[in-house]
Amino acid sequence: MTAKRNLRLVNPDKKIWQFDVIVAPGFVLTELAGLVDVLRIANRVCPNPPFAFTYRSLRGGLIESSSGAVVATERVPSQPQADYLFVIGNTDPDQPDLSLGRVVQDYTFRGAQVFLLAEAASRYINERGSADLATHWENAAFLRERGARFDARFSIATQQGPVITCAGMGATVDVALSVIGRHISGPAKMTVADIMLHEHIRDFGSMQPVSGLKTSATGDDALDQCIKTMQANIEDPLPINEIVAALGLSNRSLERKFKTYLGTTPNNFYREMRLAKANTLLLNTTLSVREIGLACGFPNGFSAVYKSFYGITPFALRRQKRTAAQR
């Protein structure tokens, strides 16, 4: 097993590194493509194709993504032989097929390194009760809303032994490029990135761009600070006049910035931000509609405001979700 994990930058003995890729119903196609396309292109640019991948699921068969694309999968083996396991994220953080503690152990016991993306990572974090791991910023918010006593990290990926938890989504390409870089030359890795039009390869410690930790969201410092203030005051929204006073701007100046950079007004942006969080909570938690309204700064009239924006009441949305889950 030790020899198997000896990583090289070249492939003189034509070693094939096997990736098992687990998907569950509702998987995120962006993440699957972010991994598989990196492997596919690397095989194209290397003299001896070094990578192989197999789509897997808990029971095998056809698995449909959230976007309707379908992949044929093989059943997860009881004695896996892969070098790497990637578990793709999902539109449903409560998808039962993401609870893979035993599967993860089976792979790591046999020397594999395991990568859990987005919702797969948040499920693993929640079941282990550990804060020293990363997931997508949106799933970190789910964990907090559900009463977790810890905050997940906002880095692109975090390693704990043989298990790496990842933000997923577009950062999947960064993670995949990092992994193939262990086995192919630097120029070959850069060629793959260039073909992917991936300008900058972020390391695992890089911060997720919507974690509130990036240098600039809009290119305007005052507008960035305004948005951060709004994000920090979702449950008890601040009057725009107070935000303007704290920033040392005039109302007209702030309105001009929002119109120029975001095509909307400060009030509309703030309301839409709060409604977006409410929508996320409706779809991914068991909080009551009233509790969600209060958590998002709508003590009164939440259902009417929500319907005016999304075209459906919160209660109707919940019914649709229950009906879909029963099919």
Side-chain angles (χ1 to χ4, degrees):
M1 282 295 179
T2 302
K4 186 176 182 180
R5 306 311 304 162
N6 185 25
L7 307 182
R8 306 177 180 87
L9 288 178
V10 294
N11 196 26
D13 54 0
K14 299 185 180 180
K15 158 75 178 177
I16 302 296
W17 301 92
Q18 174 65 39
F19 288 68
D20 278 3
V21 187
I22 292 181
V23 296
F27 71 88
V28 176
L29 191 59
T30 298
E31 294 173 5
L32 183 70
L35 168 63
V36 170
D37 278 347
V38 167
L39 300 179
R40 179 183 61 82
I41 295 170
N43 283 342
R44 175 158 67 89
V45 304
C46 291
N48 300 310
F51 305 116
F53 56 88
T54 302
Y55 297 134
R56 296 195 182 277
S57 63
L58 288 185
R59 288 165 289 279
L62 297 178
I63 303 295
E64 184 175 355
S65 74
S66 59
S67 55
V70 175
V71 298
T73 68
E74 299 180 18
R75 191 186 185 104
V76 173
S78 59
Q79 297 184 342
Q81 300 300 314
D83 300 290
Y84 296 101
L85 169 66
F86 273 72
V87 183
I88 304 301
N90 202 281
T91 53
D92 179 9
D94 295 319
Q95 165 60 245
D97 286 5
L98 295 182
S99 186
L100 295 167
R102 178 60 183 271
V103 171
V104 169
Q105 291 177 6
D106 287 343
Y107 275 83
T108 58
F109 178 75
R110 290 169 174 81
Q113 194 167 52
V114 175
F115 292 79
L116 305 172
L117 307 183
E119 289 76 20
S122 63
R123 174 65 70 87
Y124 184 80
I125 294 169
N126 192 44
E127 291 177 351
R128 289 176 60 87
S130 173
D132 195 31
L133 295 167
T135 187
H136 190 281
W137 63 266
E138 192 174 33
N139 291 306
F142 296 161
L143 291 174
R144 288 195 300 273
E145 291 293 343
R146 292 178 173 188
R149 296 185 299 276
F150 53 84
D151 283 327
R153 294 202 175 179
F154 286 115
S155 54
I156 284 175
T158 301
Q159 182 168 356
Q160 193 174 82
V163 177
I164 295 90
T165 52
C166 314
M169 296 305 287
T172 306
V173 175
D174 298 280
V175 172
L177 287 168
S178 175
V179 174
I180 69 167
R182 304 170 182 178
H183 309 296
I184 64 177
S185 68
K189 172 184 169 182
M190 293 308 300
T191 299
V192 175
D194 289 344
I195 293 172
M196 295 284 294
L197 301 181
H198 200 74
E199 184 177 4
H200 173 66
I201 303 174
R202 296 169 289 181
D203 61 30
F204 285 6
S206 298
M207 293 295 107
Q208 297 173 41
V210 195
S211 66
L213 299 174
K214 63 178 176 179
T215 303
S216 177
T218 65
D220 184 284
D221 290 340
L223 187 54
D224 284 347
Q225 188 57 48
C226 178
I227 292 171
K228 289 179 181 179
T229 301
M230 290 176 174
Q231 289 173 330
N233 293 274
I234 294 288
E235 185 171 348
D236 296 305
L238 297 174
I240 297 299
N241 286 339
E242 287 188 21
I243 298 176
V244 166
L247 294 174
L249 298 173
S250 67
N251 279 318
R252 185 179 295 275
S253 176
L254 186 64
E255 288 175 359
R256 189 182 302 114
K257 289 177 184 294
F258 268 89
K259 186 67 174 178
T260 299
Y261 289 96
L262 300 168
T264 188
T265 66
N267 276 312
N268 285 343
F269 181 90
Y270 204 177
R271 182 170 59 251
E272 186 172 341
M273 176 190 294
R274 289 152 50 212
L275 283 169
K277 180 178 179 181
N279 191 58
T280 296
L281 295 178
L282 282 167
L283 291 171
N284 297 287
T285 74
T286 57
L287 293 173
S288 70
V289 170
R290 174 166 172 75
E291 287 172 329
I292 291 172
L294 291 172
C296 298
F298 298 103
N300 299 296
F302 169 56
S303 292
V305 176
Y306 183 90
K307 183 179 180 181
S308 70
F309 189 81
Y310 287 102
I312 187 174
T313 67
F315 298 99
L317 182 73
R318 281 273 174 86
R319 283 197 300 271
Q320 284 185 0
K321 184 184 177 185
R322 285 195 298 269
T323 300
Q326 292 169 359
R327 290 174 182 169

